[in-house]
Amino acid sequence: MNWNTFKTQLAQFPEHHLQFEFAENDRVHPSFHITEIKQANITSVDCGGKMNAWTEIIVQLWEPNNQDSLRSMKVEKAMSIIELVEKTLPLNPNSPVKIEFGNDTFDTRQMHPQDFEINVDEIIVKLQAEKTQCKAIDRGDSCGTPKQKVKLSEIQNSCCSPESSCC
């Protein structure tokens, strides 16, 4: 899901309470804060030797030690934080968005918003962890360093030729 789609979906429900589900039936505590919104420019070289570059928008959530709130912030408050950030940092609307979260029982990770569940007065952003991938294999290339080529004449003269009875 890209940044523009994420914001557009949220903006439809300004009076709803915003919640994030990071695992089945596990939600970020309602007292969470949006601590920062990052725009990460990533440049990498994959195992096939190809350079890749993209941008991601990362929304970081934090649960404070003092968890006194029983209801989460409303979407309009989250949108005001987004507007404040975008006044200083123009965010690429086509970049994929990730939600970064961790607490004492859940290791910090970046997850993708997969779906929005709309209840009477709540919007729940369903998060899904991203799996690693091999970009080289995904594009049909070989993974890793090229295989060393062996000459047919070297195979015929090796100790493991069919006549050597070593096989």
Side-chain angles (χ1 to χ4, degrees), residues 26-70:
D26 283 332
R27 294 184 182 180
V28 176
H29 193 275
S31 61
F32 76 86
H33 292 235
I34 296 175
T35 57
E36 64 185 10
I37 299 175
K38 311 174 222 186
Q39 181 164 253
N41 296 316
I42 299 168
T43 305
S44 71
V45 176
D46 65 36
C47 62
K50 184 173 190 290
M51 184 177 284
N52 303 282
W54 68 93
T55 302
E56 297 175 348
I57 308 300
I58 304 161
V59 179
Q60 186 182 74
L61 307 179
W62 172 69
E63 290 179 346
N65 291 334
N66 183 8
Q67 297 180 344
D68 57 359
S69 179
L70 298 178

Side-chain angles (χ1 to χ4, degrees), residues 19-30 63 101 103 105-106 111 117 119 122 124-128:
Q19 190 47 265
F20 294 88
E21 185 176 280
F22 59 89
E24 191 169 343
N25 300 318
D26 283 332
R27 294 184 182 180
V28 176
H29 193 275
E63 290 179 346
F101 171 73
N103 62 19
T105 61
F106 186 77
M111 297 164 281
E117 182 180 309
N119 294 331
E122 187 176 54
I124 304 163
V125 181
K126 306 275 188 156
L127 303 175
Q128 183 175 23

